[in-house]
Amino acid sequence: MKKPNILIVEDEESILEMIALNLHHNNFQPLRAINAEIAESFLKKNEVDLILLDWMLPGIDGIDFLRRIRTNSNTKDIPVMMLTAKNEEANKIEGFDVGADDYLAKPFSQKELIARIKAILRRKNPESIAEQIKHGNLQVNPNSHEVFHQSKFIKLGPTEFKLLYLLCMNKNRVLSREIIVDKIWNNESEIDARTIDVHVKRLRSTLKSHGIENSIETIRGAGYKLSDEINFE
């Protein structure tokens, strides 16, 4: 079985080699790049399954490089995990808004890194095929990862799509953060409550921009719920 190629974009050599060694021991194939320019050349020549991207890079920084990845048709679907010492909520939101799939703050444990990589790769290639959900004028298709409202396409990131689908599949049921972690991240990584809240906030914002107001209820002390009373017309 082919080992997944993981591109590490990190300018600190000691961190780069530590991550590469850890990936090698866990049956991944590490590719090394100390800046965005080298990483771009790797992406042109190699099939990459996931990118570990440092925020603070010399020259083109991680956020700008992530923008390039997401606007290039050849690389836009590659999962990206940001690795950075920037641990403020605003930084996390910026990373997610640009298109990061996950965010791991330095210093981090190597076990957690591997767990998150496995979770992302599993989300990228789900084993089960589910059916399309219709709720009023909202249509959610898990096979094509497409969402439509009144026949208009709604663009969602992979995690926001899975979150919406999970809520639609469990209408009128309160989903705790623990359940959301288990269903979306397969309980393989230590996702904190704030990270889930950021994804819910992004999903709400996107739905609101398409005229879908109050789409997800916050149940204080319990979690989130999509109710039959929500109007998707």
Side-chain angles (χ1 to χ4, degrees):
M1 182 176 178
K2 177 181 173 293
K3 294 181 179 180
N5 286 334
I6 310 295
L7 176 59
I8 315 162
V9 191
E10 169 63 64
D11 64 315
E12 292 189 35
E13 186 175 350
S14 60
I15 296 177
L16 176 63
E17 291 304 321
M18 179 177 61
I19 294 174
L21 182 62
N22 190 34
L23 291 174
H24 177 73
H25 286 328
N26 284 276
N27 209 33
F28 296 108
Q29 180 61 51
L31 302 174
R32 300 167 174 82
I34 59 172
N35 56 45
E37 289 82 1
I38 294 175
E40 281 186 326
S41 67
F42 268 116
L43 290 171
K44 291 177 182 177
K45 301 174 183 178
N46 298 274
E47 180 181 340
V48 173
D49 296 287
L50 184 143
I51 300 171
L52 300 177
L53 179 60
D54 184 32
W55 186 306
M56 302 297 292
L57 292 171
I60 302 170
D61 66 20
I63 284 292
D64 286 338
F65 184 46
L66 179 55
R67 289 191 180 97
R68 291 191 183 191
I69 293 170
R70 291 296 179 243
T71 56
N72 186 320
S73 60
N74 293 322
T75 60
K76 64 183 179 65
D77 294 324
I78 300 176
V80 176
M81 183 192 301
M82 298 292 294
L83 305 177
T84 175
K86 292 178 175 288
N87 196 27
E88 298 297 324
E89 183 177 14
N91 299 128
K92 289 186 177 183
I93 293 173
E94 182 179 5
F96 287 133
D97 282 343
V98 174
D101 294 272
D102 203 351
Y103 188 110
L104 191 56
K106 297 178 179 178
F108 52 82
S109 76
Q110 294 298 311
K111 287 184 178 180
E112 181 178 6
L113 174 63
I114 295 300
R116 289 186 180 231
I117 289 172
K118 289 180 178 179
I120 291 175
L121 293 178
R122 181 175 294 182
R123 297 202 305 273
K124 181 184 176 185
N125 297 300
E127 298 177 356
S128 60
I129 298 179
E131 61 183 5
Q132 176 176 289
I133 293 177
K134 291 185 179 181
H135 188 87
N137 285 329
L138 187 76
Q139 298 179 22
V140 184
N141 191 328
N143 298 327
S144 62
H145 275 222
E146 293 179 329
V147 178
F148 292 89
H149 178 246
Q150 296 180 340
S151 300
K152 294 181 179 179
F153 176 69
I154 299 177
K155 183 179 181 181
L156 294 177
T159 301
E160 283 70 44
F161 177 88
K162 287 181 177 290
L163 178 59
L164 177 61
Y165 186 75
L166 179 63
L167 289 167
C168 287
M169 285 289 289
N170 293 273
K171 285 181 295 184
N172 295 314
R173 177 186 175 192
V174 178
L175 298 181
S176 68
R177 291 176 174 85
E178 290 77 11
I179 289 176
I180 294 173
V181 169
D182 180 57
K183 297 296 183 181
I184 296 181
W185 282 272
N186 301 296
N187 230 5
E188 291 184 355
S189 57
E190 298 174 7
I191 302 296
D192 59 27
R194 179 167 292 183
T195 298
I196 296 171
D197 294 342
V198 168
H199 284 293
V200 171
K201 182 178 179 180
R202 289 190 65 203
L203 177 56
R204 280 175 170 155
S205 177
T206 301
L207 295 177
K208 183 178 179 180
S209 70
H210 287 78
I212 305 173
E213 298 281 349
N214 302 318
S215 51
I216 302 169
E217 294 183 66
T218 299
I219 310 301
R220 187 168 183 145
Y224 297 100
K225 181 179 75 169
L226 189 67
S227 172
D228 274 336
E229 298 175 2
I230 298 299
N231 180 17
F232 286 112
E233 301 299 325

